[in-house]
């Protein structure tokens, strides 16, 4: 290992941060992973109980350690958490738990080539020649500021707070949002005994089979990444007609814009893990988008209203980067990094995990880790200890 007195700092001990630390270590560059919680994989630990990866075990492993076959093809949440723990141990990564970085600043007065200053909880000030921000795509839960929201007399929670259907057995629940999370929670509630489950739809999603005759949807996503958008849209439309039934009569019409067009806009297709069957059997009822709240009533875009006892907002997350690096001019108008992976946003400042690729987040995190490590090692070649120094 290198003899840097000021190691590269990686913020976030999720898959992206761990993979990048391992890739740096393999190149002789010391890295310390700063994690605000007490353990690796904190965001994965907080996901709902029934979660399984939508990507295959083969294409979800991080560099240097495959996910064991015992985890199955579609890896459950708890198995992934155990894998991340083993990954950190296997690569002997330096993890500093309980360290929350609040702000990153440029500095020219640090020791050696330490051009970055990290301000953390407890008054800590850490210096580094390079910083990798890997705090995650799903960082800060986002609930729309619906008119009347604060006066809703039922229970309103974000999907990040949902664990399993047990607390909602016998209750009328409205799930807002038709991404993969909203779709899975709605199915989970229907199977878990909720008396009624409605799913509020703003834009009809593209629904794809997780696998077709053993061929995973992820493999198609990998193959299509660099093909022309119209070609992929056309092929996806043809496949949808033969593999996914038309749910228009059940309140879930086919989307008007092409699948890959929507992907390029940031909308990942919904992988079917029971939604189609639940909608066809009436166990999950698609309804119009939520527009406002009024006491116990939820007003919908088609002029109707619902009176659920519980509303679960599967309405996504913010990246939460503004306070950390917003002053550095490295974010765009959406709060996303202007540069990603191999391209530093500023000299020595890298971001990983802030895209939502159709080819699979974990696969791309693994690839980004190697790209970042190569760039960092080239810019900051490790200094070997002189044997005479002991």
């Amino acid at each position: 290992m290198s003899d840097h007195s000021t190691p590269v700092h990686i913020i976030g001990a999720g898959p992206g941060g761990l993979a990048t630390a391992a890739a740096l270590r393999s190149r002789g560059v010391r890295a310390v992973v700063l994690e605000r919680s007490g353990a690796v994989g904190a965001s994965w630990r907080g996901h709902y109980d029934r979660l399984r990866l939508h990507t295959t075990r083969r294409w979800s492993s991080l560099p240097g350690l495959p996910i064991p076959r015992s985890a199955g093809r579609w890896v459950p949440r708890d198995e992934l958490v155990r894998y991340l723990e083993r990954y950190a141990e296997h690569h002997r990564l330096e993890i500093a738990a309980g360290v929350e970085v609040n702000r990153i600043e440029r500095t020219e007065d640090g020791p050696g080539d330490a051009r970055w200053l990290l301000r953390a909880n407890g008054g800590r000030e850490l210096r580094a020649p390079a910083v990798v921000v890997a705090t995650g795509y799903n960082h800060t839960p986002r609930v729309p500021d619906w008119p009347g929201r604060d006066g809703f007399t039922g229970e309103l929670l974000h999907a990040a707070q949902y664990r399993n259907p047990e607390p909602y057995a016998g209750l009328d629940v409205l799930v807002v949002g038709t991404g993969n999370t909203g779709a899975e929670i709605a199915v989970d509630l229907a199977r878990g005994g909720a008396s009624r489950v409605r799913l509020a739809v703003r834009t009809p999603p593209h629904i794809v089979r997780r696998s077709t005759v053993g061929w995973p949807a992820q493999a198609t996503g990998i193959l299509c990444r660099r093909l022309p958008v119209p070609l992929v849209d056309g092929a996806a439309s043809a496949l949808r007609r033969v593999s996914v039934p038309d749910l228009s009569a059940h309140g879930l019409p086919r989307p008007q814009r092409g699948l890959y067009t929507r992907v390029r806009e940031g909308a990942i297709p919904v992988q079917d893990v029971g939604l189609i069957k639940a909608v066809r059997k009436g166990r999950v009822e698609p309804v119009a988008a939520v527009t406002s709240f009024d006491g116990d009533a939820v007003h919908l875009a088609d002029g109707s209203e619902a009176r659920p006892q519980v509303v679960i907002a599967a309405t996504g997350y913010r990246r939460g980067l503004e306070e950390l690096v917003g002053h550095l001019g490295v974010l765009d108008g959406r709060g996303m990094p202007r540069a990603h992976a191999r391209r530093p946003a500023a000299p020595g400042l890298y971001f990983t995990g802030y895209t939502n690729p159709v080819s699979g987040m974990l696969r791309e995190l693994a690839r980004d880790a190697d790209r970042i490590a190569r760039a960092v090692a080239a810019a900051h070649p490790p200094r070997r200890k002189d044997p005479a120094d002991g």
Side-chain angles (χ1 to χ4, degrees):
M1 296 297 293
S2 63
D3 189 33
H4 283 311
S5 58
T6 52
V8 171
H9 281 91
I10 299 171
I11 306 174
L18 298 179
T20 304
L24 285 167
R25 193 178 196 281
S26 71
R27 287 169 172 77
V29 178
R30 184 185 172 208
V32 175
V33 183
L34 309 175
E35 170 54 45
R36 65 176 179 172
S37 73
V40 304
S43 64
W44 287 95
R45 295 173 190 272
H47 285 312
Y48 48 94
D49 294 347
R50 70 164 279 156
L51 177 66
R52 287 177 177 267
L53 294 183
H54 294 160
T55 54
T56 65
R57 180 187 70 251
R58 173 188 174 189
W59 284 320
S60 300
S61 296
L62 302 180
L65 184 70
I67 298 175
R69 292 178 62 87
S70 59
R73 191 182 197 194
W74 312 105
V75 181
R77 179 201 64 186
D78 291 347
E79 287 289 341
L80 182 66
V81 170
R82 283 191 283 271
Y83 166 71
L84 295 177
E85 292 171 341
R86 288 195 299 270
Y87 190 85
E89 295 170 359
H90 176 81
H91 289 289
R92 293 182 291 169
L93 303 182
E94 293 186 62
I95 312 291
V99 178
E100 182 174 8
V101 178
N102 304 307
R103 187 177 174 89
I104 301 174
E105 299 176 357
R106 291 187 179 94
T107 180
E108 300 298 335
D109 59 356
D113 60 352
R115 62 166 58 100
W116 294 102
L117 173 66
L118 286 67
R119 299 189 185 277
N121 57 340
R124 297 179 179 91
E125 293 187 352
L126 308 171
R127 298 183 184 275
V131 178
V132 181
V133 181
T135 51
Y137 193 83
N138 296 337
H139 185 272
T140 305
R142 183 185 68 85
V143 178
D145 190 19
W146 291 297
R149 184 189 72 180
D150 294 339
F152 179 54
T153 57
E155 180 183 0
L156 172 62
L157 66 150
H158 190 271
Q161 300 168 270
Y162 177 86
R163 293 295 174 268
N164 58 64
E166 184 177 346
Y168 312 101
L171 300 182
D172 183 332
V173 185
L174 172 65
V175 180
V176 184
T178 49
N180 279 291
T181 296
E184 286 202 33
I185 288 176
V187 172
D188 200 28
L189 288 163
R191 291 175 177 174
S195 65
R196 186 177 187 181
V197 180
R198 281 170 284 195
L199 181 62
V201 181
R202 183 179 62 180
T203 303
H206 283 274
I207 303 175
V208 299
R209 301 290 187 181
R210 187 165 62 177
S211 65
T212 304
V213 196
W215 178 264
Q218 182 188 9
T220 303
I222 293 171
L223 292 175
C224 292
R225 284 198 70 190
R226 305 195 183 283
L227 294 178
V229 172
L231 176 63
V232 179
D233 281 350
S237 178
L239 179 61
R240 181 184 63 212
R241 286 194 294 270
V242 299
S243 64
V244 177
D246 187 355
L247 300 174
S248 298
H250 301 277
L252 196 59
R254 292 192 185 278
Q256 296 181 351
R257 295 170 66 79
L259 183 148
Y260 203 35
T261 296
R262 294 290 312 282
V263 167
R264 296 290 290 271
E265 296 169 349
I268 297 299
V270 170
Q271 293 200 15
D272 178 44
V273 291
L275 180 64
I276 293 173
K277 182 178 180 180
V279 169
R280 296 180 78 179
K281 290 184 173 294
R283 295 172 182 167
V284 172
E285 306 168 44
V287 297
V290 171
T291 58
S292 63
F293 289 74
D294 183 11
D296 67 342
V298 180
H299 297 289
L300 305 177
D302 61 359
S304 64
E305 65 178 38
R307 283 183 162 77
Q309 295 162 283
V310 181
V311 174
I312 300 176
T315 46
Y317 296 78
R318 293 187 295 105
R319 310 296 86 83
L321 294 171
E322 289 82 0
E323 183 178 347
L324 185 68
V325 296
H327 55 287
L328 297 174
V330 296
L331 303 179
D332 63 19
R334 302 169 301 154
M336 299 286 280
R338 296 182 186 277
H340 192 264
R342 79 180 76 182
R343 293 174 51 211
L349 178 64
Y350 299 83
F351 292 84
T352 183
Y354 298 97
T355 61
N356 196 13
V358 71
S359 52
M361 175 70 82
L362 291 172
R363 176 180 182 271
E364 296 309 316
L365 287 175
R367 293 160 64 87
D368 287 350
D370 183 65
R371 294 164 179 158
I372 292 172
R374 278 191 276 120
V376 171
H380 307 280
R383 299 190 300 269
R384 302 292 175 177
K385 292 180 69 173
D386 188 333
D389 294 338

